[in-house]
């Protein structure tokens, strides 16, 4: 592990610890953002965003994208992803598969990315479309291989997440966190390195950071939908709305680490250096998965009965 990623790993751990501790902090009498039901959000997230903004990208040279997914960068790329996700989710819901939890969450995130791109929220529309499509293709490829019994070569974090789904041994929130960790911490650095961190107009990190605030708006409705359809305990953390702020802080730490791992992949000068970075990504995401796997064990009876009645939504 390089000194930079060691420092970022420490930062991510401290951020997560501070966020967890925030759950025990009594609510302030008034929100820092008018009308915001969570007073912690306005107090905690802006300083974290300011810190993330100070972490400038490394000078990574622009490299052309050489893949064959969403080469055009057109809006239709995300439309195709959404259609595939909807079809996959329908099949999972029909059997109340525990894979449906992340499938639903990923669909909602992708719809949000689509809407953000088309509203002009990002500076580089084509880059976001391509990132979204390549990212989703990794997910489809991994889950298809797992379903076909092709386990060799799959990232350890995904093996832990998908085995937990098959074993039906986790809470819905546990399945969500395991798959989110695998897709973000294991897959995303490779996606960014493949699509490119720098374009003709400079680094894409501002667009990468910009999506943190969009994610903040998704936690509450997505958690509520997961609870309504698949697992009534999904949003049972008794912390008012503070858990959404905690999720936002932790996700910022994860996404910052993703960018730094992508930089390390891009800047690796030899195959040996790149292999070392890949191993670091593998170990980092697997350790996160093992921790989640330990703390979110649950019996499936109530959850499966609930899905059988409410899963179709």
């Amino acid at each position: 592990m390089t000194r930079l990623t060691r420092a970022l790993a420490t930062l991510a751990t401290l951020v997560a610890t501070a966020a967890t501790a925030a759950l025990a902090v009594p609510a302030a009498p008034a929100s820092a953002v008018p009308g915001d039901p969570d007073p912690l959000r306005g107090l905690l997230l802006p300083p974290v965003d300011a810190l993330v903004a100070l972490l400038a990208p490394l000078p990574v040279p622009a490299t052309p994208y050489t893949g064959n997914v969403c080469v055009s960068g057109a809006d239709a790329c995300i439309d195709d992803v959404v259609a595939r996700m909807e079809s996959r989710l329908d099949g999972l819901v029909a059997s109340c598969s525990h894979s449906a939890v992340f499938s639903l969450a990923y669909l909602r995130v992708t719809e949000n990315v689509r809407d953000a791109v088309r509203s002009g929220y990002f500076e580089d529309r084509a880059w976001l479309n391509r990132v979204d499509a390549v990212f989703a293709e990794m997910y489809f490829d991994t889950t298809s291989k797992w379903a076909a019994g092709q386990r060799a070569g799959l990232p350890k974090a995904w093996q832990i997440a998908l085995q937990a789904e098959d074993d039906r041994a986790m809470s819905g929130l546990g399945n969500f966190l395991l798959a989110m960790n695998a897709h973000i911490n294991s897959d995303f650095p490779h996606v960014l390195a493949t699509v490119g961190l720098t374009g003709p107009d400079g680094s894409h990190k501002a667009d990468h950071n910009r999506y943190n605030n969009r994610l903040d708006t998704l936690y509450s409705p997505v958690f509520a939908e997961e609870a309504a359809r698949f697992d009534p305990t999904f949003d049972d953390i008794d912390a008012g709305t503070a858990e959404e702020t905690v999720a936002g802080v932790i996700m910022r730490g994860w996404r910052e680490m993703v960018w730094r791992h992508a930089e390390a992949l891009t800047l690796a000068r030899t195959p040996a250096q790149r292999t070392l970075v890949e191993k670091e990504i593998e170990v980092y995401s697997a350790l996160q998965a093992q921790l989640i796997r330990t703390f979110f064990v649950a019996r499936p009876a109530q959850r499966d009965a609930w899905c059988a009645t409410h899963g179709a939504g």
Side-chain angles (χ1 to χ4, degrees):
M1 185 179 283
T2 66
R3 276 185 286 181
L4 173 62
T5 51
R6 267 200 300 270
L8 286 167
T10 301
L11 172 64
T13 301
L14 289 173
V15 166
T17 302
T20 303
L23 289 174
V25 177
S31 172
V33 180
D36 192 334
D38 179 10
L40 279 177
R41 190 183 347 256
L43 296 174
L44 192 56
L45 293 186
V48 173
D49 285 334
L51 175 60
V52 170
L54 288 174
L55 299 173
L58 294 178
V60 176
T63 54
Y65 172 63
T66 59
N68 57 11
V69 176
C70 194
V71 176
S72 67
D75 289 352
C77 296
I78 297 187
D79 293 334
D80 291 343
V81 169
V82 168
R84 291 176 69 184
M85 286 184 171
E86 289 174 337
S87 176
R88 184 171 190 274
L89 178 61
D90 288 344
L92 296 172
V93 170
S95 62
C96 279
S97 167
H98 286 199
S99 301
V101 163
F102 183 67
S103 182
L104 171 63
Y106 197 5
L107 171 61
R108 297 294 178 248
V109 169
T110 303
E111 291 169 338
N112 187 274
V113 171
R114 175 198 62 197
D115 296 345
V117 167
R118 293 175 190 182
S119 72
Y121 185 76
F122 299 107
E123 292 180 6
D124 194 325
R125 183 172 184 147
W127 183 76
L128 258 297
N129 283 334
R130 189 174 299 120
V131 166
D132 186 274
V134 174
F135 201 15
E137 191 63 36
M138 285 192 74
Y139 167 70
F140 293 134
D141 183 61
T142 296
T143 52
S144 295
K145 286 179 177 176
W146 182 267
Q150 301 172 22
R151 312 296 163 85
L154 294 184
K156 183 64 175 177
W158 266 121
Q159 292 185 42
I160 294 171
L162 295 171
Q163 189 62 59
E165 291 174 358
D166 287 356
D167 290 346
R168 307 177 83 86
M170 302 286 288
S171 68
L173 182 58
N175 287 138
F176 168 80
L177 291 171
L178 279 174
M180 185 72 77
N181 165 67
H183 200 36
I184 291 177
N185 288 321
S186 180
D187 292 352
F188 205 7
H190 296 281
V191 170
L192 290 177
T194 297
V195 175
L197 300 174
T198 306
D201 297 325
S203 174
H204 292 297
K205 190 167 191 288
D207 270 343
H208 179 73
N209 291 347
R210 192 170 284 118
Y211 194 64
N212 289 335
N213 299 113
R214 293 283 300 201
L215 281 172
D216 292 338
T217 67
L218 283 172
Y219 301 125
S220 180
V222 170
F223 281 26
E225 186 176 6
E226 298 280 11
R229 297 180 64 178
F230 302 132
D231 183 354
T233 71
F234 197 99
D235 59 354
D236 275 2
I237 297 176
D238 189 15
T241 57
E243 68 269 18
E244 298 159 27
T245 296
V246 170
V249 173
I250 292 174
M251 193 61 66
R252 281 160 170 78
W254 278 6
R255 285 171 55 82
E256 183 63 28
M257 182 63 80
V258 162
W259 187 270
R260 300 308 168 177
H261 277 149
E263 286 179 335
L265 286 170
T266 304
L267 294 172
R269 296 176 182 174
T270 66
Q273 288 180 347
R274 185 176 178 91
T275 297
L276 185 61
V277 177
E278 290 171 346
K279 183 64 176 177
E280 183 178 316
I281 293 169
E282 175 88 357
V283 170
Y284 175 73
S285 57
L287 287 174
Q288 302 272 339
Q290 289 165 357
L291 185 64
I292 296 166
R293 183 68 180 82
T294 300
F295 282 98
F296 290 90
V297 175
R299 295 178 179 175
Q302 179 188 14
R303 173 182 172 181
D304 290 346
W306 182 270
C307 175
T309 304
H310 303 280

